[in-house]
Amino acid sequence: AQRVTQPEKLLSVFKGAPVELKCNYSYSGSPELFWYVQYSRQRLQLLLRHISRESIKGFTADLNKGETSFHLKKPFAQEEDSAMYYCALPFMGSGNTGKLIFGQGTTLQVKP
Amino acid sequence: DAGVTQSPTHLIKTRGQQVTLRCSPKSGHDTVSWYQQALGQGPQFIFQYYEEEERQRGNFPDRFSGHQFPNYSSELNVNALLLGDSALYLCASSLGTAFQETQYFGPGTRLLVL
């Protein structure tokens, strides 16, 4: 079964420190993966997707098929990065649908 | 554009009752997906509606049903409420059903079942 695991419920770092939010997935094919973010009192929104290979707000994520991981990284954390982060995998069953499988989420706390 | 809107924002019901939650998609979007987010968990997919039909369903019992209207808005109905149905219910809209299309989420409806 397809599954997304985010092993850390909370990650606390100081401003300026590097950040790595872990995401592991279970899927035998070539996955598409997403990172969603929810800032305080805001709605869940897409941060970045694997297929775009882009950097958003200084964050990047690399797909490692060997380790089945899609960790989110930022070299220098900012206080405004404090939020809840969710890794998501589209369900690759019959047909191409928008069913997303989310991890449990990691709260990133950036201390001044 | 207000984006995806949901109503009501909060709701309190008792066990055995029925509830209806509503969602209006972002302007121009034709697909609506519903998710349940229990406290401390990630969102779980309930179902997706496109062209007024349920296109994909997650592992939820038949007590959970939905509807999509010609204007693309959608309702989520839950019958015979259980305590475990207490959660934040999120609606997401997109242009088309493909996973490549970005899903835009609403603020959610928080349901408490007593």
Side-chain angles (χ1 to χ4, degrees):
Chain A
Q2 292 177 242
R3 191 166 53 246
V4 175
T5 303
Q6 294 180 250
E8 302 147 325
K9 275 199 168 293
L10 172 67
L11 181 63
S12 186
V13 301
F14 285 101
K15 176 182 171 181
V19 169
E20 182 178 70
L21 297 162
K22 292 183 167 52
C23 170
N24 290 92
Y25 66 90
S26 61
Y27 176 62
S28 56
S30 293
E32 177 56 60
L33 284 149
F34 305 92
W35 277 99
Y36 278 80
V37 61
Q38 186 167 26
Y39 300 102
S40 178
R41 288 187 285 278
Q42 294 188 27
R43 57 189 68 188
L44 193 61
Q45 59 186 288
L46 179 67
L47 178 63
L48 58 79
R49 61 179 74 203
H50 159 62
I51 198 169
S52 302
R53 299 187 185 279
E54 56 198 346
S55 172
I56 302 293
K57 299 185 178 183
F59 284 98
T60 58
D62 291 319
L63 178 64
N64 185 323
K65 292 184 183 179
E67 295 182 358
T68 60
S69 68
F70 187 58
H71 301 331
L72 184 67
K73 299 177 184 179
K74 185 170 183 177
F76 308 104
Q78 302 299 314
E79 289 182 67
E80 55 265 31
D81 296 328
S82 295
M84 176 70 89
Y85 291 81
Y86 294 96
C87 183
L89 170 72
F91 175 72
M92 303 303 282
S94 57
N96 178 351
T97 74
K99 174 181 176 180
L100 294 176
I101 300 168
F102 284 87
Q104 290 191 310
T106 298
T107 299
L108 174 63
Q109 183 184 73
V110 181
K111 297 178 286 189
Chain B
D1 179 18
V4 179
T5 61
Q6 292 186 243
S7 64
T9 55
H10 296 82
L11 207 49
I12 300 175
K13 292 286 187 178
T14 56
R15 277 180 299 174
Q17 286 190 309
Q18 179 263 343
V19 69
T20 297
L21 310 182
R22 296 176 177 82
C23 171
S24 290
K26 183 177 167 63
S27 177
H29 285 183
D30 57 8
T31 303
V32 172
S33 301
W34 286 92
Y35 292 83
Q36 180 196 65
Q37 186 173 20
L39 202 60
Q41 303 294 317
Q44 277 200 298
F45 179 85
I46 304 175
F47 40 53
Q48 181 184 72
Y49 276 85
Y50 173 71
E51 292 186 336
E52 301 181 48
E53 287 187 10
E54 184 182 292
R55 297 291 175 158
Q56 180 79 17
R57 189 177 182 93
N59 295 326
F60 281 81
D62 292 344
R63 298 187 297 109
F64 289 77
S65 63
H67 189 78
Q68 185 179 36
F69 299 93
N71 67 353
Y72 307 123
S73 66
S74 176
E75 287 183 350
L76 163 66
N77 300 291
V78 187
N79 295 321
L81 284 167
L82 303 174
L83 295 180
D85 295 332
S86 295
L88 181 68
Y89 288 85
L90 296 170
C91 167
S93 75
S94 57
L95 181 59
T97 61
F99 70 79
Q100 292 91 341
E101 298 297 331
T102 299
Q103 294 191 30
Y104 291 80
F105 284 81
T109 293
R110 189 164 295 282
L111 172 65
L112 178 61
V113 182
L114 302 176

